[in-house]
Amino acid sequence: MAINWFPGHMHKARKEIKKIMPQMDLIIEVLDARLPFSSENPLVPALRGDTPVIKILNKRDLADPEVTARWTAYLERERGVRAITLTHNQRQEALDILRLAGEMTAGHDRQKSALRVMILGIPNVGKSTLINTLAGRPVARTGNEPAVTKAQQVIKLPDNILLYDTPGFLWPKLSPEACGYRLAVSGAIRSAVIDYEDVALFAAEYLLAAYPDILTERYDLDPLPRDGIAVMDAIAERRRFFGRGGIPDLHKVAEVLLNELRSGKLGAVSLETPEMVEEETRILAEEEAAREADEAQAGKSGKRKHRQS
């Protein structure tokens, strides 16, 4: 299943961001620490130019700390980028973002003009909660459902900082395809537009490969199942999730597995690593190059046939 979710307000947000980003002094991009690559917006590198960027790996408490450390180092390889981690209940850490913003824009005289900062983030990544913390008051709506923020707003922060809030949005094509699945697993895509069982199967297969001990401990799986569908069948048996005729209720299993993964009940889990996404990106680039070569060859063949006729 190719996951693609791009509501109309997100299309509008993309156009607004493209218009005002050149006017910004700093960009703050809030990422999900469990999937920093999949939750990163590809428009930022394309549009930011020399504007400095703070990448915040939020929900640090839900992610594998060893993998998060590798991600932080990986992201900071890009020029003008600082990467920090954050969790929702650490107010002082959140306020340190403003200090870091000052360091990265040291040449800007805030006595003469406000520091203009754009904050970006995909749905359900915790952007609105962070904004309220920075502002010291409730100025942005928060919620467990993705895409709560629907319109752009400008928020005045201490020390003459103007924070430009934008609606959380995904990009039209979630690529590589695994990115869409990881976003769905994390809860960034509305439940109404995903196939719960399909997404949970993806999660089960990933956990089986990357965190088998977590599955064994949480669901008492002994011996360890051979594949994702066997994992879901085993969970159904352990939790007594059966439908009519004793058939495993895989939809119920899917809901439990995804909800427990998202809430951290399974433990600290990262859904991707720098090495994993580099390999996925390499394979995708090779596939696209091969497709372009095939299309070019087909075009040449078509021209030859046309001349012969």
Side-chain angles (χ1 to χ4, degrees):
M1 178 183 70
I3 296 172
N4 190 349
W5 184 53
F6 198 55
H9 76 271
M10 293 184 179
H11 179 69
K12 179 183 177 183
R14 184 177 66 165
K15 291 196 297 183
E16 290 177 353
I17 288 169
K18 186 175 182 179
K19 180 180 178 181
I20 70 170
M21 189 176 286
Q23 305 168 25
M24 296 297 109
D25 301 304
L26 177 76
I27 297 166
I28 296 174
E29 185 173 20
V30 187
L31 309 175
D32 189 321
R34 297 167 295 176
L35 53 156
F37 176 79
S38 295
S39 58
E40 187 179 45
N41 194 302
L43 293 177
V44 173
L47 297 176
R48 78 176 181 95
D50 294 326
T51 306
V53 179
I54 300 175
K55 291 187 180 288
I56 299 172
L57 278 65
N58 201 22
K59 304 185 181 182
R60 177 186 65 210
D61 52 315
L62 298 178
D64 184 329
E66 189 275 330
V67 176
T68 299
R70 280 152 54 198
W71 271 115
T72 302
Y74 181 85
L75 292 169
E76 289 194 338
R77 298 189 311 179
E78 187 178 351
R79 178 183 52 81
V81 171
R82 291 287 301 274
I84 62 174
T85 65
L86 192 65
T87 188
H88 72 282
N89 58 356
Q90 298 296 321
R91 185 171 187 273
Q92 188 54 53
E93 285 188 355
L95 294 177
D96 282 344
I97 295 168
L98 300 181
R99 177 189 55 77
L100 180 57
E103 291 179 6
M104 296 181 71
T105 57
H108 185 95
D109 187 351
R110 276 184 256 176
Q111 297 296 323
K112 294 182 178 179
S113 62
L115 186 72
R116 294 163 299 181
V117 179
M118 174 183 286
I119 186 165
L120 299 164
I122 66 165
N124 211 32
V125 79
K127 176 172 63 74
S128 295
T129 299
L130 175 59
I131 289 171
N132 291 340
T133 301
L134 295 177
R137 61 191 190 279
V139 293
R141 288 180 59 204
T142 61
N144 290 327
E145 274 292 301
V148 171
T149 305
K150 295 287 199 300
Q152 187 181 114
Q153 60 176 330
V154 181
I155 301 151
K156 188 168 179 55
L157 301 182
D159 300 322
N160 203 17
I161 297 174
L162 291 179
L163 187 67
Y164 290 73
D165 181 22
T166 57
F169 70 103
L170 299 178
W171 37 101
K173 182 182 179 183
L174 301 174
S175 179
E177 187 175 303
C179 290
Y181 274 99
R182 292 193 286 261
L183 286 162
V185 169
S186 75
I189 300 176
R190 284 191 183 277
S191 300
V193 298
I194 67 172
D195 183 324
Y196 252 70
E197 293 175 34
D198 191 40
V199 173
L201 178 60
F202 176 90
E205 290 176 344
Y206 176 75
L207 291 169
L208 189 61
Y211 297 96
D213 292 345
I214 282 179
L215 281 176
T216 300
E217 182 177 348
R218 180 67 183 175
Y219 300 112
D220 189 26
L221 304 183
D222 186 24
L224 197 65
R226 66 186 181 280
D227 56 26
I229 193 65
V231 167
M232 295 180 70
D233 283 338
I235 293 174
E237 183 177 345
R238 298 296 187 276
R239 296 288 180 92
R240 311 305 298 170
F241 294 154
F242 295 110
R244 191 172 299 175
I247 298 174
D249 187 344
L250 295 186
H251 185 79
K252 181 65 175 177
V253 171
E255 288 183 333
V256 168
L257 180 60
L258 292 178
N259 288 337
E260 293 191 347
L261 177 56
R262 291 169 181 173
S263 67
K265 288 183 179 179
L266 295 186
V269 171
S270 290
L271 297 172
E272 61 192 16
T273 67
E275 299 78 15
M276 178 194 304
V277 298
E278 280 193 339
E279 178 65 10
E280 289 174 352
T281 303
R282 182 190 64 79
I283 292 172
L284 180 64
E286 289 178 354
E287 291 175 347
E288 290 181 348
R291 187 184 71 251
E292 290 174 0
D294 289 343
E295 290 175 353
Q297 185 61 39
K300 290 179 181 178
S301 299
K303 289 181 180 178
R304 282 198 298 269
K305 289 180 181 178
H306 179 71
R307 287 197 297 266
Q308 291 171 358
S309 62

